[in-house]
Amino acid sequence: GENVEQHPSTLSVQEGDSAVIKCTYSDSASNYFPWYKQELGKRPQLIIDIRSNVGEKKDQRIAVTLNKTAKHFSLHITETQPEDSAVYFCAASNTNAGKSTFGDGTTLTVKP
Amino acid sequence: DAGVIQSPRHEVTEMGQEVTLRCKPISGHDYLFWYRQTMMRGLELLIYFNNNVPIDDSGMPEDRFSAKMPNASFSTLKIQPSEPRDSAVYFCASSLHGGRVWETQYFGPGTRLLVL
């Protein structure tokens, strides 16, 4: 089955700096890669996703890149703000299989 | 749509008691997932259904756990008997497969379970 590794497990940055979270996956059949943000005590919510036919996607301060050959994808947050502090999960999904495999999460802390 | 609905939001029970968690997926979604989240083990997929049929229950930890989906709008996760190590937040999520929607999972608010 699919195995997703996520790094780092914790990340602390100063407000205004950039943050990068990286994930690798094992199943070459995975073709959809969502990122979820989970604030303390809340549910995971989708913030951005990328499909296997796209190399990069951007939404305001958030961007995701995908390298299918190397089987890794990354989340980039620019101009971080304290409200970006949360746990971020990457996931890899094979739409034929119907399920996503999640990484272990990265706790991002943005210090004001 | 109200989103994925879970009940109860909080449950405190004593070891050995039966616990039933409930989930109503987003109308029209054909996949339903049950997850368990703890600090130690992160977000674990327990079981998922497609069109009310269980597809993969390999994440269910023990025979004490069972899940059903009698119709497209309702699912239950049951723990009998419960144990303190079952204490966790249990999330239900649903998604619409295929078409132009690619596996985005919408999570419910979760049920925070504490087994004493």
Side-chain angles (χ1 to χ4, degrees), chain B residues 34-62:
Chain B
W34 282 102
Y35 291 90
R36 177 173 68 176
Q37 187 175 39
T38 61
M39 288 292 293
M40 292 298 293
R41 302 172 74 99
L43 195 62
E44 301 175 274
L45 176 64
L46 300 178
I47 185 172
Y48 73 101
F49 297 82
N50 175 219
N51 292 322
N52 315 337
V53 176
I55 302 300
D56 184 352
D57 66 354
S58 60
M60 296 285 261
E62 301 169 34

Side-chain angles (χ1 to χ4, degrees), chain B residues 63-80:
Chain B
D63 291 344
R64 299 184 296 107
F65 285 69
S66 63
K68 294 181 180 179
M69 192 165 185
N71 57 63
S73 59
F74 183 66
S75 177
T76 60
L77 178 68
K78 187 175 293 187
I79 308 172
Q80 166 63 17

Side-chain angles (χ1 to χ4, degrees), chain A residues 2-13:
Chain A
E2 176 65 277
N3 182 49
V4 176
E5 295 191 357
Q6 183 172 346
H7 300 280
S9 57
T10 61
L11 180 59
S12 181
V13 299

Side-chain angles (χ1 to χ4, degrees), chain A residues 77-107:
Chain A
I77 306 175
T78 58
E79 300 172 23
T80 54
Q81 301 168 3
E83 51 265 39
D84 295 329
S85 297
V87 178
Y88 291 81
F89 292 95
C90 64
S93 176
N94 178 341
T95 54
N96 292 324
K99 69 172 183 177
S100 292
T101 301
F102 283 79
D104 289 337
T106 296
T107 301

